[in-house]
Each structure stands twice: as structure tokens, then as C-alpha cells.
Amino acid sequence: PVLLQGPLPAEGWVALGPHARLVAKDPRTARETTFRGAGRARACAGFSEESWVASGSFESSPGAGEAPGGEEWVVTPLAVVRYAAARLRVEVRPRDESVAVSDGVAFVWLADDAHLRTSDGGAAARGDDGWLRLEATSATLPASGDPGSLEGARTAVARCGAVGRAAHDLTSTLLAGGADASTVASQVATRRLARAACAVAAVRQGALPTSEASAALARPLAEASEAWRTLAPP
């Protein structure tokens, strides 16, 4: 149970019943985020400004704790939405999702088995770093497969491993010296992509029913996440 004005669980998920509403407040920045059910969510994952939403909805609270360089990440089975100061709502359903940005700017990274359609039928602009920019618009994110299946989780973990190793190798190159500006920029962008890919994989793996097959994904996921997080020796 979650107590009124009490701390949220440091580990595990919170189950929200129909019409339930949970407001989480980060004690460091005072940023507030709202989760609505029916759904399953995890606020402040890893004690960071990162919210995991396996189902249900997420709403931002503009003007609550934003600071230069401080971003909130919203991780779902199909995407990652990040923003610094924006009013947005994310809806997570079994086979698709929606993102509505009514104020400010948000950036979206898509899993391999998802694509994005804006409300006017167009495509969002993709930056050189692989993120899509959304501003004063809404979009639907249909899935080409089943993100809630074991195969969907395996695909996400494999993507996490590939991008995590790429980020680790680029970090090794930087620490070895002699890297040019393009290598530095590539390392920063790839590390952010690895964080996104591994977060989506963690949401999918964590939402699976308990079984030997789902538990077997925990080790490669942990190893890939550790790869992009750690500094390789020169």
C-alpha cells in the first residue's frame, strides 16, 4: 500500500486501480508527476527523475521543479519521452500509446517495433541524435508486434545490448585519448540512446509474468545496462 504523504516504494511497481490517481514529488527538485489508473507504474526509478509506465497514463506538472539541464524521462513499452519543462500526457495501452504535448517541447525515442504518427498525419522531425521532436501536437505510437510478449522483451534486451556495447566502446576510445569532436558527440548521443533502449527493455522485462524465461533476461539486461553506465579503463 502507498500511504498518503508517504514515500513511494524504492523497488517494484505500483498497481493503480480504475480511476486511481497517484501524484509523486521528487524531494530534490520538487517536480511533480501524476499517474492515473487503471495501470501499473514505477515513479523515480533508480532514485532518478525517470518514470516507468507499463500501463495507464502519465501527466506532467509544469512549473514544478524544472531546472536548467534537468529532464524527466517517461519510459513505456514502446518509447521514451523526455522533457525539461512541458505539459504533456502519455497514455499506455496494450498495443499502442499516445503522447500529447500541449505546452513546451518533448523528445521521443522509439523502440524498433513502434512507429509514430502525428495528429495531422505527418511525421515528427528527427534530430541527428535519433530523437523525434514534438511541440504543441499529439501523436499515436502503434506497435508492429506485441511489446508485452516474451519475444518483445527479448527484442528490446537485444537492442539494449547492442547500443550499450557501442556506448561502452566509444567511451573506451575517448579515455584512450586522441578522439576528435565527432567522436565526442557520437559518444554522448549513443550513451543517451543506450539509456533509452535499456530502460524500455527493463519495462518490458519487468512487466512479464514470473517464469524461468523472463528471469533469464535479467542477467543480459543488467550486463548491458552496466556497459553504458561504467567507464572503461584506458
Side-chain angles (χ1 to χ4, degrees), residues 21-33:
R21 176 175 175 268
L22 171 68
V23 179
K25 184 173 183 178
D26 191 302
R28 297 166 298 177
T29 64
R31 188 198 298 270
E32 293 184 355
T33 53

Side-chain angles (χ1 to χ4, degrees), residues 16 24 67 158 173 178 213 220 233:
L16 301 170
T173 301

Side-chain angles (χ1 to χ4, degrees), residues 79-105:
V80 174
V81 183
R82 61 179 177 89
Y83 66 94
R87 183 185 296 276
L88 61 87
R89 180 182 177 91
V90 179
E91 294 271 0
V92 180
R93 297 174 289 269
R95 298 299 293 267
D96 73 335
E97 300 173 7
S98 63
V99 180
V101 182
S102 57
D103 186 32
V105 179

Side-chain angles (χ1 to χ4, degrees), residues 66-228:
E66 285 86 356
E71 288 186 328
E72 175 80 19
W73 283 41
V74 187
V75 185
T76 73
L78 293 178
V80 174
V81 183
R82 61 179 177 89
Y83 66 94
R87 183 185 296 276
L88 61 87
R89 180 182 177 91
V90 179
E91 294 271 0
V92 180
R93 297 174 289 269
R95 298 299 293 267
D96 73 335
E97 300 173 7
S98 63
V99 180
V101 182
S102 57
D103 186 32
V105 179
F107 298 89
V108 181
W109 177 86
L110 297 174
D112 289 340
D113 52 1
H115 58 280
L116 182 146
R117 293 197 304 261
T118 59
S119 55
D120 59 3
R126 185 183 297 275
D128 294 337
D129 57 357
W131 292 76
L132 298 165
R133 177 187 174 98
L134 295 181
E135 182 175 3
T137 188
S138 60
T140 303
L141 285 65
S144 58
D146 183 3
S149 66
L150 179 61
E151 187 57 35
R154 284 174 175 159
T155 300
V157 170
R159 176 70 184 276
C160 164
V163 187
R165 287 189 296 272
H168 187 270
D169 293 344
L170 285 168
T171 301
S172 300
T173 301
L174 290 182
L175 293 177
D180 56 17
S182 64
T183 303
V184 174
S186 180
Q187 189 271 346
V188 172
T190 304
R191 193 170 187 271
R192 178 180 283 169
L193 292 175
R195 175 186 170 185
C198 292
V200 167
V203 168
R204 291 192 185 188
Q205 191 271 340
L208 290 173
T210 302
S211 67
E212 291 185 3
S214 63
L217 295 176
R219 181 174 179 179
L221 176 58
E223 291 175 348
S225 298
E226 186 70 12
W228 74 261

